[in-house]
């Protein structure tokens, strides 16, 4: 909640001053990054407790050989989550991933995408100001070698938003360490012109 309030209070200034790796109107940054990130915060405020609490599995969700067995699903933190950010939405996309990881009880190491160090600094500053204990969010430099080094040193989970080629490289590194990953990789969007 504190992060959301800080984001709302500084939203227009953040949108105007955020240095992005491309030229974008501050109004677009405000509507495409700041406001959706604040909305994601509100969603977590309202739903995180319900989503993370233990819950029983429905009988219909169990195979027949588990009839009569009580099943409870417990959500546990991974530990240290590596967020490999993107350059095109450098505040919103990694911001949501960082918040979700923190709310779930993890520490986060964040390697921003190319040209996104300024957005990373904004996220860190607002989180620390809102009461996040120092050390729960560590920033890495932008270079891909820093993400690779973090995987080799040992993290417990990797989140990547990036290209398919980057995803292949990250998966190869993560496979050596048996590190689980979740990836949103580039694809093709259909465009209709009328």
């Amino acid at each position: 909640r504190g992060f959301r309030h800080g984001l709302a209070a500084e939203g227009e200034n953040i949108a105007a001053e955020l240095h992005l790796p491309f030229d974008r109107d501050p109004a677009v940054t405000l509507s495409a990054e700041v406001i959706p990130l604040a909305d994601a915060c509100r969603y977590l405020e309202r739903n995180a407790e319900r989503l993370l609490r233990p819950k029983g599995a429905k009988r219909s969700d169990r195979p027949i050989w588990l009839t009569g067995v009580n099943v409870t699903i417990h959500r546990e933190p991974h530990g240290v989550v590596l967020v490999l950010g993107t350059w095109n939405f450098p505040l919103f996309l990694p911001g949501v991933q960082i918040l979700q990881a923190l709310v779930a009880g993890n520490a986060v190491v964040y390697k921003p995408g190319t040209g996104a160090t300024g957005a990373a600094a904004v996220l860190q500053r607002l989180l620390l100001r809102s009461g996040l204990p120092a050390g729960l969010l560590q920033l890495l430099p932008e270079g891909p070698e820093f993400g690779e080094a973090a995987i080799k040193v040992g993290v417990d989970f990797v989140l990547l938003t990036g290209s398919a080629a980057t995803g292949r490289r990250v998966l190869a590194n993560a496979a050596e360490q048996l590190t689980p990953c979740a990836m949103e990789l580039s694809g093709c969007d259909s465009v209709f012109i009328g």
Side-chain angles (χ1 to χ4, degrees):
R1 181 172 290 130
F3 176 82
R4 179 172 58 85
H5 286 274
L7 187 63
E10 295 185 40
E12 288 184 33
N13 291 336
I14 291 168
E17 296 172 9
L18 195 62
H19 298 287
L20 299 174
F22 52 89
D23 189 31
R24 182 163 69 187
D25 187 284
V28 174
T29 300
L30 185 63
S31 65
E33 297 216 56
V34 175
I35 292 171
L37 183 55
D39 190 51
C41 290
R42 183 176 315 179
Y43 177 84
L44 289 171
E45 290 170 43
R46 292 178 178 171
N47 297 294
E49 185 178 344
R50 176 183 56 81
L51 293 170
L52 295 172
R53 73 174 162 237
K55 64 180 178 180
K58 298 178 194 174
R59 293 187 198 285
S60 60
D61 291 341
R62 292 183 237 161
I64 190 123
W65 64 85
L66 291 180
T67 300
V69 174
N70 291 325
V71 176
T72 303
I73 300 168
H74 293 270
R75 311 274 185 211
E76 298 289 333
H78 287 284
V80 177
V81 174
L82 173 63
V83 175
L84 300 171
T86 184
W87 60 270
N88 58 347
F89 288 92
L91 190 67
F92 172 62
L93 293 176
V96 170
Q97 294 170 336
I98 290 167
L99 288 170
Q100 290 171 339
L102 291 169
V103 166
N106 299 287
V108 175
V109 176
Y110 172 40
K111 190 211 75 66
T114 302
T117 297
V122 167
L123 288 169
Q124 186 178 46
R125 176 176 50 82
L126 289 175
L127 283 165
L128 290 173
R129 189 181 297 159
S130 68
L132 181 71
L136 283 182
L137 174 60
Q138 299 292 318
L139 299 184
L140 296 176
E142 294 177 8
E145 67 273 15
F146 296 101
E148 292 172 9
I151 293 169
K152 287 180 182 172
V153 167
V155 294
D156 301 301
F157 197 85
V158 177
L159 286 168
L160 167 68
T161 303
S163 69
T166 300
R168 285 184 193 95
R169 287 193 305 275
V170 169
L171 277 175
N173 287 323
E176 290 178 17
Q177 310 299 321
L178 297 178
T179 305
C181 302
M183 299 186 179
E184 188 269 308
L185 304 176
S186 60
C188 296
D189 295 329
S190 299
V191 176
F192 295 94
I193 300 173

PDB file of all heavy atoms in Angstrom, residues 76-103:
ATOM      1  N   GLU A  76       4.643 -21.740  -0.586  1.00  0.00           N
ATOM      2  CA  GLU A  76       5.903 -21.462   0.105  1.00  0.00           C
ATOM      3  C   GLU A  76       6.769 -20.563  -0.768  1.00  0.00           C
ATOM      4  O   GLU A  76       6.801 -20.730  -1.992  1.00  0.00           O
ATOM      5  CB  GLU A  76       6.660 -22.770   0.385  1.00  0.00           C
ATOM      6  CG  GLU A  76       5.920 -23.748   1.283  1.00  0.00           C
ATOM      7  CD  GLU A  76       5.836 -23.305   2.720  1.00  0.00           C
ATOM      8  OE1 GLU A  76       6.735 -22.546   3.164  1.00  0.00           O
ATOM      9  OE2 GLU A  76       4.873 -23.692   3.406  1.00  0.00           O
ATOM     10  N   PRO A  77       7.502 -19.633  -0.159  1.00  0.00           N
ATOM     11  CA  PRO A  77       8.409 -18.799  -0.956  1.00  0.00           C
ATOM     12  C   PRO A  77       9.513 -19.646  -1.585  1.00  0.00           C
ATOM     13  O   PRO A  77       9.901 -20.684  -1.046  1.00  0.00           O
ATOM     14  CB  PRO A  77       9.010 -17.818   0.057  1.00  0.00           C
ATOM     15  CG  PRO A  77       8.295 -18.032   1.339  1.00  0.00           C
ATOM     16  CD  PRO A  77       7.529 -19.304   1.249  1.00  0.00           C
ATOM     17  N   HIS A  78      10.013 -19.188  -2.711  1.00  0.00           N
ATOM     18  CA  HIS A  78      11.135 -19.868  -3.367  1.00  0.00           C
ATOM     19  C   HIS A  78      12.432 -19.558  -2.634  1.00  0.00           C
ATOM     20  O   HIS A  78      13.295 -20.402  -2.520  1.00  0.00           O
ATOM     21  CB  HIS A  78      11.267 -19.417  -4.826  1.00  0.00           C
ATOM     22  CG  HIS A  78      10.210 -19.953  -5.714  1.00  0.00           C
ATOM     23  ND1 HIS A  78      10.190 -21.248  -6.172  1.00  0.00           N
ATOM     24  CD2 HIS A  78       9.105 -19.373  -6.231  1.00  0.00           C
ATOM     25  CE1 HIS A  78       9.132 -21.441  -6.931  1.00  0.00           C
ATOM     26  NE2 HIS A  78       8.458 -20.315  -6.986  1.00  0.00           N
ATOM     27  N   GLY A  79      12.601 -18.325  -2.205  1.00  0.00           N
ATOM     28  CA  GLY A  79      13.850 -17.883  -1.572  1.00  0.00           C
ATOM     29  C   GLY A  79      14.320 -16.602  -2.231  1.00  0.00           C
ATOM     30  O   GLY A  79      13.789 -15.532  -1.972  1.00  0.00           O
ATOM     31  N   VAL A  80      15.283 -16.719  -3.129  1.00  0.00           N
ATOM     32  CA  VAL A  80      15.793 -15.563  -3.875  1.00  0.00           C
ATOM     33  C   VAL A  80      15.329 -15.691  -5.319  1.00  0.00           C
ATOM     34  O   VAL A  80      15.637 -16.675  -5.991  1.00  0.00           O
ATOM     35  CB  VAL A  80      17.331 -15.476  -3.817  1.00  0.00           C
ATOM     36  CG1 VAL A  80      17.834 -14.304  -4.661  1.00  0.00           C
ATOM     37  CG2 VAL A  80      17.800 -15.335  -2.368  1.00  0.00           C
ATOM     38  N   VAL A  81      14.577 -14.692  -5.777  1.00  0.00           N
ATOM     39  CA  VAL A  81      14.034 -14.673  -7.136  1.00  0.00           C
ATOM     40  C   VAL A  81      14.842 -13.675  -7.956  1.00  0.00           C
ATOM     41  O   VAL A  81      15.008 -12.522  -7.547  1.00  0.00           O
ATOM     42  CB  VAL A  81      12.539 -14.281  -7.127  1.00  0.00           C
ATOM     43  CG1 VAL A  81      12.016 -14.121  -8.546  1.00  0.00           C
ATOM     44  CG2 VAL A  81      11.721 -15.324  -6.366  1.00  0.00           C
ATOM     45  N   LEU A  82      15.323 -14.127  -9.085  1.00  0.00           N
ATOM     46  CA  LEU A  82      16.023 -13.257 -10.032  1.00  0.00           C
ATOM     47  C   LEU A  82      15.021 -12.777 -11.073  1.00  0.00           C
ATOM     48  O   LEU A  82      14.411 -13.589 -11.767  1.00  0.00           O
ATOM     49  CB  LEU A  82      17.166 -14.010 -10.718  1.00  0.00           C
ATOM     50  CG  LEU A  82      17.888 -13.279 -11.854  1.00  0.00           C
ATOM     51  CD1 LEU A  82      18.589 -12.018 -11.349  1.00  0.00           C
ATOM     52  CD2 LEU A  82      18.893 -14.229 -12.531  1.00  0.00           C
ATOM     53  N   VAL A  83      14.839 -11.461 -11.149  1.00  0.00           N
ATOM     54  CA  VAL A  83      13.964 -10.867 -12.156  1.00  0.00           C
ATOM     55  C   VAL A  83      14.856 -10.271 -13.234  1.00  0.00           C
ATOM     56  O   VAL A  83      15.651  -9.374 -12.965  1.00  0.00           O
ATOM     57  CB  VAL A  83      13.039  -9.791 -11.551  1.00  0.00           C
ATOM     58  CG1 VAL A  83      12.228  -9.103 -12.650  1.00  0.00           C
ATOM     59  CG2 VAL A  83      12.124 -10.404 -10.500  1.00  0.00           C
ATOM     60  N   LEU A  84      14.732 -10.804 -14.437  1.00  0.00           N
ATOM     61  CA  LEU A  84      15.470 -10.292 -15.588  1.00  0.00           C
ATOM     62  C   LEU A  84      14.502  -9.432 -16.390  1.00  0.00           C
ATOM     63  O   LEU A  84      13.619  -9.942 -17.070  1.00  0.00           O
ATOM     64  CB  LEU A  84      16.015 -11.451 -16.429  1.00  0.00           C
ATOM     65  CG  LEU A  84      16.967 -12.395 -15.692  1.00  0.00           C
ATOM     66  CD1 LEU A  84      17.272 -13.626 -16.534  1.00  0.00           C
ATOM     67  CD2 LEU A  84      18.238 -11.675 -15.303  1.00  0.00           C
ATOM     68  N   GLY A  85      14.666  -8.122 -16.254  1.00  0.00           N
ATOM     69  CA  GLY A  85      13.688  -7.182 -16.788  1.00  0.00           C
ATOM     70  C   GLY A  85      13.842  -6.900 -18.264  1.00  0.00           C
ATOM     71  O   GLY A  85      14.819  -7.271 -18.910  1.00  0.00           O
ATOM     72  N   THR A  86      12.862  -6.198 -18.760  1.00  0.00           N
ATOM     73  CA  THR A  86      12.791  -5.838 -20.158  1.00  0.00           C
ATOM     74  C   THR A  86      13.077  -4.353 -20.337  1.00  0.00           C
ATOM     75  O   THR A  86      13.070  -3.594 -19.377  1.00  0.00           O
ATOM     76  CB  THR A  86      11.392  -6.188 -20.726  1.00  0.00           C
ATOM     77  OG1 THR A  86      11.359  -5.918 -22.104  1.00  0.00           O
ATOM     78  CG2 THR A  86      10.299  -5.428 -20.015  1.00  0.00           C
ATOM     79  N   TRP A  87      13.297  -3.939 -21.563  1.00  0.00           N
ATOM     80  CA  TRP A  87      13.605  -2.539 -21.844  1.00  0.00           C
ATOM     81  C   TRP A  87      12.368  -1.758 -22.258  1.00  0.00           C
ATOM     82  O   TRP A  87      12.299  -0.566 -22.093  1.00  0.00           O
ATOM     83  CB  TRP A  87      14.646  -2.441 -22.967  1.00  0.00           C
ATOM     84  CG  TRP A  87      14.170  -3.062 -24.247  1.00  0.00           C
ATOM     85  CD1 TRP A  87      14.330  -4.366 -24.626  1.00  0.00           C
ATOM     86  CD2 TRP A  87      13.419  -2.435 -25.282  1.00  0.00           C
ATOM     87  NE1 TRP A  87      13.717  -4.588 -25.836  1.00  0.00           N
ATOM     88  CE2 TRP A  87      13.150  -3.406 -26.276  1.00  0.00           C
ATOM     89  CE3 TRP A  87      12.944  -1.145 -25.492  1.00  0.00           C
ATOM     90  CZ2 TRP A  87      12.434  -3.134 -27.421  1.00  0.00           C
ATOM     91  CZ3 TRP A  87      12.222  -0.876 -26.652  1.00  0.00           C
ATOM     92  CH2 TRP A  87      11.992  -1.867 -27.596  1.00  0.00           C
ATOM     93  N   ASN A  88      11.336  -2.435 -22.810  1.00  0.00           N
ATOM     94  CA  ASN A  88      10.233  -1.701 -23.415  1.00  0.00           C
ATOM     95  C   ASN A  88       9.169  -1.222 -22.426  1.00  0.00           C
ATOM     96  O   ASN A  88       8.515  -0.228 -22.661  1.00  0.00           O
ATOM     97  CB  ASN A  88       9.589  -2.504 -24.555  1.00  0.00           C
ATOM     98  CG  ASN A  88       9.081  -3.843 -24.116  1.00  0.00           C
ATOM     99  OD1 ASN A  88       9.387  -4.334 -23.033  1.00  0.00           O
ATOM    100  ND2 ASN A  88       8.285  -4.472 -24.960  1.00  0.00           N
ATOM    101  N   PHE A  89       8.963  -1.908 -21.334  1.00  0.00           N
ATOM    102  CA  PHE A  89       8.094  -1.465 -20.245  1.00  0.00           C
ATOM    103  C   PHE A  89       8.878  -1.649 -18.948  1.00  0.00           C
ATOM    104  O   PHE A  89       8.570  -2.521 -18.138  1.00  0.00           O
ATOM    105  CB  PHE A  89       6.778  -2.251 -20.225  1.00  0.00           C
ATOM    106  CG  PHE A  89       5.860  -1.893 -21.350  1.00  0.00           C
ATOM    107  CD1 PHE A  89       5.888  -2.601 -22.539  1.00  0.00           C
ATOM    108  CD2 PHE A  89       4.989  -0.821 -21.224  1.00  0.00           C
ATOM    109  CE1 PHE A  89       5.041  -2.265 -23.582  1.00  0.00           C
ATOM    110  CE2 PHE A  89       4.143  -0.472 -22.272  1.00  0.00           C
ATOM    111  CZ  PHE A  89       4.170  -1.186 -23.448  1.00  0.00           C
ATOM    112  N   PRO A  90       9.907  -0.835 -18.736  1.00  0.00           N
ATOM    113  CA  PRO A  90      10.867  -1.094 -17.677  1.00  0.00           C
ATOM    114  C   PRO A  90      10.389  -0.792 -16.260  1.00  0.00           C
ATOM    115  O   PRO A  90      11.059  -1.155 -15.296  1.00  0.00           O
ATOM    116  CB  PRO A  90      12.036  -0.173 -18.040  1.00  0.00           C
ATOM    117  CG  PRO A  90      11.397   0.961 -18.753  1.00  0.00           C
ATOM    118  CD  PRO A  90      10.259   0.347 -19.524  1.00  0.00           C
ATOM    119  N   LEU A  91       9.232  -0.166 -16.127  1.00  0.00           N
ATOM    120  CA  LEU A  91       8.691   0.099 -14.797  1.00  0.00           C
ATOM    121  C   LEU A  91       7.579  -0.897 -14.475  1.00  0.00           C
ATOM    122  O   LEU A  91       7.618  -1.566 -13.444  1.00  0.00           O
ATOM    123  CB  LEU A  91       8.156   1.539 -14.732  1.00  0.00           C
ATOM    124  CG  LEU A  91       7.773   2.059 -13.361  1.00  0.00           C
ATOM    125  CD1 LEU A  91       9.005   2.213 -12.478  1.00  0.00           C
ATOM    126  CD2 LEU A  91       7.054   3.399 -13.490  1.00  0.00           C
ATOM    127  N   PHE A  92       6.626  -1.029 -15.373  1.00  0.00           N
ATOM    128  CA  PHE A  92       5.453  -1.863 -15.114  1.00  0.00           C
ATOM    129  C   PHE A  92       5.765  -3.360 -15.041  1.00  0.00           C
ATOM    130  O   PHE A  92       5.454  -4.017 -14.046  1.00  0.00           O
ATOM    131  CB  PHE A  92       4.381  -1.606 -16.176  1.00  0.00           C
ATOM    132  CG  PHE A  92       3.226  -2.559 -16.108  1.00  0.00           C
ATOM    133  CD1 PHE A  92       2.423  -2.619 -14.983  1.00  0.00           C
ATOM    134  CD2 PHE A  92       2.947  -3.416 -17.162  1.00  0.00           C
ATOM    135  CE1 PHE A  92       1.358  -3.506 -14.901  1.00  0.00           C
ATOM    136  CE2 PHE A  92       1.879  -4.301 -17.098  1.00  0.00           C
ATOM    137  CZ  PHE A  92       1.088  -4.346 -15.967  1.00  0.00           C
ATOM    138  N   LEU A  93       6.361  -3.914 -16.088  1.00  0.00           N
ATOM    139  CA  LEU A  93       6.536  -5.372 -16.136  1.00  0.00           C
ATOM    140  C   LEU A  93       7.422  -5.897 -15.003  1.00  0.00           C
ATOM    141  O   LEU A  93       6.995  -6.774 -14.251  1.00  0.00           O
ATOM    142  CB  LEU A  93       7.052  -5.809 -17.505  1.00  0.00           C
ATOM    143  CG  LEU A  93       6.059  -5.617 -18.657  1.00  0.00           C
ATOM    144  CD1 LEU A  93       6.699  -5.981 -19.992  1.00  0.00           C
ATOM    145  CD2 LEU A  93       4.793  -6.427 -18.440  1.00  0.00           C
ATOM    146  N   PRO A  94       8.641  -5.390 -14.822  1.00  0.00           N
ATOM    147  CA  PRO A  94       9.422  -5.901 -13.698  1.00  0.00           C
ATOM    148  C   PRO A  94       8.850  -5.468 -12.356  1.00  0.00           C
ATOM    149  O   PRO A  94       8.982  -6.181 -11.357  1.00  0.00           O
ATOM    150  CB  PRO A  94      10.821  -5.328 -13.926  1.00  0.00           C
ATOM    151  CG  PRO A  94      10.625  -4.179 -14.842  1.00  0.00           C
ATOM    152  CD  PRO A  94       9.411  -4.473 -15.652  1.00  0.00           C
ATOM    153  N   GLY A  95       8.190  -4.297 -12.328  1.00  0.00           N
ATOM    154  CA  GLY A  95       7.589  -3.847 -11.072  1.00  0.00           C
ATOM    155  C   GLY A  95       6.569  -4.836 -10.550  1.00  0.00           C
ATOM    156  O   GLY A  95       6.554  -5.179  -9.361  1.00  0.00           O
ATOM    157  N   VAL A  96       5.700  -5.321 -11.431  1.00  0.00           N
ATOM    158  CA  VAL A  96       4.694  -6.310 -11.026  1.00  0.00           C
ATOM    159  C   VAL A  96       5.381  -7.589 -10.561  1.00  0.00           C
ATOM    160  O   VAL A  96       5.025  -8.159  -9.521  1.00  0.00           O
ATOM    161  CB  VAL A  96       3.716  -6.601 -12.184  1.00  0.00           C
ATOM    162  CG1 VAL A  96       2.831  -7.800 -11.865  1.00  0.00           C
ATOM    163  CG2 VAL A  96       2.861  -5.375 -12.474  1.00  0.00           C
ATOM    164  N   GLN A  97       6.373  -8.054 -11.308  1.00  0.00           N
ATOM    165  CA  GLN A  97       7.066  -9.291 -10.928  1.00  0.00           C
ATOM    166  C   GLN A  97       7.781  -9.144  -9.585  1.00  0.00           C
ATOM    167  O   GLN A  97       7.754 -10.056  -8.754  1.00  0.00           O
ATOM    168  CB  GLN A  97       8.058  -9.688 -12.021  1.00  0.00           C
ATOM    169  CG  GLN A  97       7.371 -10.076 -13.305  1.00  0.00           C
ATOM    170  CD  GLN A  97       8.340 -10.248 -14.459  1.00  0.00           C
ATOM    171  OE1 GLN A  97       9.431  -9.694 -14.468  1.00  0.00           O
ATOM    172  NE2 GLN A  97       7.927 -11.009 -15.459  1.00  0.00           N
ATOM    173  N   ILE A  98       8.420  -8.010  -9.370  1.00  0.00           N
ATOM    174  CA  ILE A  98       9.115  -7.758  -8.102  1.00  0.00           C
ATOM    175  C   ILE A  98       8.122  -7.733  -6.952  1.00  0.00           C
ATOM    176  O   ILE A  98       8.340  -8.369  -5.909  1.00  0.00           O
ATOM    177  CB  ILE A  98       9.931  -6.453  -8.188  1.00  0.00           C
ATOM    178  CG1 ILE A  98      11.127  -6.645  -9.119  1.00  0.00           C
ATOM    179  CG2 ILE A  98      10.380  -5.986  -6.806  1.00  0.00           C
ATOM    180  CD1 ILE A  98      11.817  -5.343  -9.524  1.00  0.00           C
ATOM    181  N   LEU A  99       7.020  -7.019  -7.116  1.00  0.00           N
ATOM    182  CA  LEU A  99       6.006  -6.946  -6.062  1.00  0.00           C
ATOM    183  C   LEU A  99       5.434  -8.326  -5.744  1.00  0.00           C
ATOM    184  O   LEU A  99       5.280  -8.687  -4.572  1.00  0.00           O
ATOM    185  CB  LEU A  99       4.888  -5.993  -6.465  1.00  0.00           C
ATOM    186  CG  LEU A  99       5.240  -4.520  -6.462  1.00  0.00           C
ATOM    187  CD1 LEU A  99       4.135  -3.706  -7.122  1.00  0.00           C
ATOM    188  CD2 LEU A  99       5.499  -4.024  -5.059  1.00  0.00           C
ATOM    189  N   GLN A 100       5.110  -9.100  -6.780  1.00  0.00           N
ATOM    190  CA  GLN A 100       4.562 -10.439  -6.542  1.00  0.00           C
ATOM    191  C   GLN A 100       5.558 -11.309  -5.778  1.00  0.00           C
ATOM    192  O   GLN A 100       5.175 -12.023  -4.844  1.00  0.00           O
ATOM    193  CB  GLN A 100       4.189 -11.093  -7.871  1.00  0.00           C
ATOM    194  CG  GLN A 100       2.986 -10.467  -8.532  1.00  0.00           C
ATOM    195  CD  GLN A 100       2.750 -10.983  -9.937  1.00  0.00           C
ATOM    196  OE1 GLN A 100       3.643 -11.508 -10.594  1.00  0.00           O
ATOM    197  NE2 GLN A 100       1.525 -10.819 -10.415  1.00  0.00           N
ATOM    198  N   ALA A 101       6.817 -11.251  -6.172  1.00  0.00           N
ATOM    199  CA  ALA A 101       7.829 -12.059  -5.486  1.00  0.00           C
ATOM    200  C   ALA A 101       7.987 -11.633  -4.030  1.00  0.00           C
ATOM    201  O   ALA A 101       8.074 -12.481  -3.132  1.00  0.00           O
ATOM    202  CB  ALA A 101       9.166 -11.958  -6.226  1.00  0.00           C
ATOM    203  N   LEU A 102       8.015 -10.331  -3.789  1.00  0.00           N
ATOM    204  CA  LEU A 102       8.162  -9.830  -2.417  1.00  0.00           C
ATOM    205  C   LEU A 102       6.954 -10.194  -1.560  1.00  0.00           C
ATOM    206  O   LEU A 102       7.100 -10.650  -0.421  1.00  0.00           O
ATOM    207  CB  LEU A 102       8.380  -8.317  -2.413  1.00  0.00           C
ATOM    208  CG  LEU A 102       9.715  -7.827  -2.978  1.00  0.00           C
ATOM    209  CD1 LEU A 102       9.697  -6.312  -3.155  1.00  0.00           C
ATOM    210  CD2 LEU A 102      10.875  -8.256  -2.088  1.00  0.00           C
ATOM    211  N   VAL A 103       5.753 -10.001  -2.096  1.00  0.00           N
ATOM    212  CA  VAL A 103       4.534 -10.307  -1.351  1.00  0.00           C
ATOM    213  C   VAL A 103       4.479 -11.794  -1.006  1.00  0.00           C
ATOM    214  O   VAL A 103       3.991 -12.179   0.052  1.00  0.00           O
ATOM    215  CB  VAL A 103       3.287  -9.864  -2.148  1.00  0.00           C
ATOM    216  CG1 VAL A 103       2.010 -10.462  -1.587  1.00  0.00           C
ATOM    217  CG2 VAL A 103       3.199  -8.341  -2.159  1.00  0.00           C
TER     218      VAL A 103
END
